Amino acid sequence: MSETPEMNNENNVPELKTNENKNVIRKVGDREFERYAIKTRFVNIGDDYIDVVKEYALPHIKEGDFISISEKIIALCQKRIVYRKDIHPGFWAKLLCKFVHVTPAGPGAGTPHKMQLIIMLCGLPRVLFATACAAVTKLFGIKGVFYQVCGHEVDGIDGLIDYDISYKEYVNYGILNPVDPSGVCNEIYEKLGIKCMIVDACDISVKLLGKCDALDIDTKTLEDIMRDNPAGQDDQCTPIILVREKK
């Protein structure tokens, strides 16, 4: 995305653009969808997601459009965080994180603080069972079992970064999944008239967490639209993607 987006009309609405190395068009079955990344300011803990969507997405919306919103900014608005200072990695967290498979999307549970947060959420017995299952299935080339056993609440943890990152805020706290994502989407539709969905996406996977009732597209199609993560993986600051079906 350009640091200073060009303006496309008399109301100074920034032009819709795409992130570097991301395609505008994605074909899903016999349908084609345009995906445009909407750059926002940094969303802070306790911000109002209605205000964010209204300010950055609403000016671009045309009939038939809908948006995809990163689960991270909704969770931040809902204050779904756990501070690093309140997480104290113990023996098991320090040991188990060493065996976590690190993917191009990031270390996942491969840091002591994230592993300790997982233990806090799931309990040690479940985490040990998930670890054992992952160790066995890894022998057969099956990955991701640890997160499947622990549940998506664990898979969706963001933040608590232990390496250099543009947004230093994400070093200091972990971000949990948002509460009632479908309810959030319905609220956005009721107040702003924008159809939307909330997704947890990275460069290797995507999961639909919720969508408004008015968005009459099946889950598989919605996930396929976002499969290549048009929002990007780094510091693009484009947590909202506008989707427009080509007719």
Side-chain angles (χ1 to χ4, degrees):
M1 295 283 291
S2 169
E3 288 300 317
T4 54
E6 298 176 10
M7 301 299 174
N8 66 356
N9 58 41
E10 61 184 9
N11 294 320
N12 290 334
V13 178
E15 279 189 349
L16 289 170
K17 295 180 179 290
T18 57
N19 282 318
E20 187 177 359
N21 300 321
K22 300 294 182 178
N23 295 321
V24 177
I25 305 295
R26 183 164 179 84
K27 189 171 183 180
V28 180
D30 59 355
R31 304 167 73 177
E32 288 187 328
F33 297 87
E34 300 174 352
R35 294 92 41 82
Y36 297 100
I38 297 178
K39 192 176 183 68
T40 71
R41 60 175 171 76
F42 184 86
V43 176
N44 291 296
I45 298 168
D47 282 350
D48 188 328
Y49 50 78
I50 297 294
D51 290 343
V52 173
V53 174
K54 182 178 180 179
E55 178 178 356
Y56 294 100
L58 186 59
H60 297 288
I61 296 296
K62 297 180 179 180
E63 185 177 356
D65 292 349
F66 63 94
I67 61 172
S68 172
I69 309 175
S70 166
E71 94 292 352
K72 183 182 295 183
I73 68 165
I74 300 300
L76 284 169
C77 290
Q78 294 179 333
K79 302 181 182 180
R80 293 277 292 158
I81 60 168
V82 180
Y83 287 99
R84 177 183 286 266
K85 65 180 179 61
D86 297 323
I87 303 171
H88 308 288
F91 168 80
W92 286 109
K94 294 175 183 177
L95 175 65
L96 295 176
C97 72
K98 298 177 181 179
F99 300 99
V100 172
H101 174 68
V102 177
T103 73
T111 67
H113 281 82
K114 272 197 177 180
M115 183 60 76
Q116 184 62 44
L117 179 54
I118 291 171
I119 292 172
M120 291 164 61
L121 293 172
C122 298
L124 181 58
R126 186 175 177 184
V127 172
L128 291 175
F129 177 65
T131 303
C133 292
V136 172
T137 54
K138 187 177 181 180
L139 298 175
F140 301 95
I142 302 173
K143 299 175 181 177
V145 173
F146 176 86
Y147 299 104
Q148 293 175 21
V149 174
C150 286
H152 186 66
E153 180 65 33
V154 163
D155 189 13
I157 295 174
D158 282 310
L160 294 176
I161 305 299
D162 282 356
Y163 53 87
D164 188 38
I165 187 172
S166 298
Y167 301 118
K168 302 302 182 183
E169 292 87 348
Y170 294 153
V171 173
N172 298 320
Y173 49 74
I175 308 169
L176 307 179
N177 278 336
V179 174
D180 190 17
S182 291
V184 169
C185 292
N186 282 325
E187 181 187 2
I188 291 171
Y189 180 71
E190 290 167 5
K191 293 183 176 179
L192 301 177
I194 301 176
K195 298 178 182 179
C196 65
M197 62 179 176
I198 296 173
V199 299
D200 180 1
C202 64
D203 287 348
I204 61 173
S205 66
V206 59
K207 183 176 178 61
L208 176 70
L209 300 187
K211 66 185 182 76
C212 67
D213 297 336
L215 183 54
D216 189 21
I217 301 177
D218 65 273
T219 295
K220 183 179 184 305
T221 298
L222 291 173
E223 290 182 342
D224 284 345
I225 291 170
M226 303 297 292
R227 188 71 61 189
D228 59 341
N229 191 23
Q233 187 69 38
D234 300 313
D235 59 354
Q236 291 89 347
C237 205
T238 52
I240 301 175
I241 300 295
L242 184 144
V243 182
R244 180 172 294 160
E245 184 169 7
K246 293 191 69 178
K247 302 299 184 181

